[in-house]
Amino acid sequence: MVKPEKLFSSLAKKKLTFYSGVPCSIFKDLIICLNQNSKVQHIRATSEGEAIGLAAGYYLATKKIPIVYMQNSGFGNAVNPLTSLADREVYSLPMLLFISWRGEPGVKDEPQHKKMGRIMLALLDVLEIPYLILNPNRIEKQIDSLVKKAKEEQRPVALIFKEGQIAKLEGSAGVEETGFTREEALSVMLSKIGRGIVVSTTGKTSREIFEIRKNRRQGHEQDFLMVGSMGCALSTGLAIKLNTPKKVFVIDGDGAVLMKMGTLTTVGSYAPKKFIHIVIDNGAYESTGGQCTSSTVVDWKKLFQSAGYRDVIAVNNKSKLRKINFAKLRSPAAIVVKVISGSRKDLGRPTTTPTQNRDAFMAFVK
């Protein structure tokens, strides 16, 4: 395995000190170490495409090689700037991509990772991005080889990291917070929503919704769980609402909203009735290890109002959440629920397949 501290020390010696990206659980300890390193420049991006843009700007300003880290499920978000900005047929901008390999063939993983895991290497070949799969015993030579190719050929290159190749940092478990949790908020909201349509963001939000329904012995047909496609819950929910008279509730996360923030203006432009957008803000990418989002700089009320939402309410405890009268909100409406980061250690995963969820949901909507 690769120790994060030694990796950063080695990269610093090669004058690789700029990092940007979107977290993955495979990179959890690497990012912890990165955040503790004051000698590097680390810009947290809201999307992988944004990170490529940041890397491009860094190279243009310094002529030094930047590093962009990402989960392979988000690699698709980076394809456009990789092909239309950094590619050798355009500006020919060198950069080193650290890409995690979720859904590696033969390794058990969640449904949303299977396709990208299977096609990732072929996709890199199609994009003509040279890559190496990490060999922990040869990492120094591999990085030297990739950096040399990036410089000489003026192009993006990639190093692929498999699950378990990065060693855990001692004492990196973190401190458990106490306070109003996302699961408590979801429990209150699902009771208030009744039989309305629910579209929930990827990650632990959808997992908690599934378990709440299961524990209450309720069906799952009214919930569309976004098992992947981070940031797309809002656009999916909007199109559903524009094609059904039923009330639609989109339950989102702060990181997901920030990743596709432009969708807020699409909602405002079409101003759907009976449409409530709930954002649970825990300030973290919790499913990938609790890395910080940029939500602390967001004035949610002004943001939603400027995008055309009519009513915006912010709450930070169970009592205030219970008092909200959903029926009186003017749509499109937004509810921002501030919670602590964290979830139960025994939190399960949906036991139905995505297609089973799809079929039951479509029957409910109809």
Side-chain angles (χ1 to χ4, degrees), residues 52-122:
I52 298 298
L54 288 163
Y58 173 78
Y59 176 77
L60 292 170
T62 66
K63 207 176 179 179
K64 296 179 182 179
I65 304 293
I67 294 176
V68 177
Y69 59 87
M70 67 183 76
Q71 185 179 103
N72 62 339
S73 62
F75 183 47
N77 287 335
V79 169
N80 178 270
L82 281 171
T83 56
S84 62
L85 175 67
D87 191 81
R88 288 202 296 174
E89 295 183 40
V90 193
Y91 281 108
S92 200
L93 304 174
M95 58 186 68
L96 174 57
L97 311 178
F98 282 2
I99 305 176
S100 64
W101 198 349
R102 295 295 303 270
E104 178 188 355
V107 178
K108 186 178 179 181
D109 211 326
E110 298 306 306
Q112 65 268 30
H113 297 298
K114 290 181 179 179
K115 183 64 174 281
M116 181 56 85
R118 178 167 56 81
I119 69 170
M120 179 183 68
L121 300 184

Side-chain angles (χ1 to χ4, degrees), residues 24 26 48 53 66 76 143 170 284 293 340 354 363:
C24 173
I26 288 177
E48 294 80 4
I143 290 175
E170 292 184 11
T293 68
I340 61 169

Side-chain angles (χ1 to χ4, degrees), residues 292-319:
C292 294
T293 68
S294 302
S295 69
T296 53
V297 302
V298 179
D299 186 323
W300 290 110
K301 188 170 185 177
K302 289 182 180 179
L303 176 63
F304 281 115
Q305 288 177 334
S306 67
Y309 284 66
R310 299 185 68 194
D311 276 337
V312 185
I313 297 175
V315 298
N316 59 6
N317 60 60
K318 191 182 298 186
S319 176

Side-chain angles (χ1 to χ4, degrees), residues 6 16 25 28 71 90 146 152-153 173 180 192 199 208 325 353 355 359:
K6 288 188 176 181
L16 300 171
S25 57
K28 176 182 176 181
Q71 185 179 103
V90 193
L146 288 169
E152 291 181 352
E153 300 181 12
F180 187 39
K192 295 172 70 67
V199 179
E208 288 173 342
N325 187 335
T353 66
T355 51
D359 293 345

Side-chain angles (χ1 to χ4, degrees), residues 21 39 43 46 59 103 110 155 161 223 237 270 286 298 312 314 347:
K39 296 181 180 180
I43 302 180
T46 61
Y59 176 77
E110 298 306 306
R155 67 195 303 168
F161 290 74
D223 307 323
Y270 287 88
E286 191 183 322
V298 179
V312 185
L347 179 62

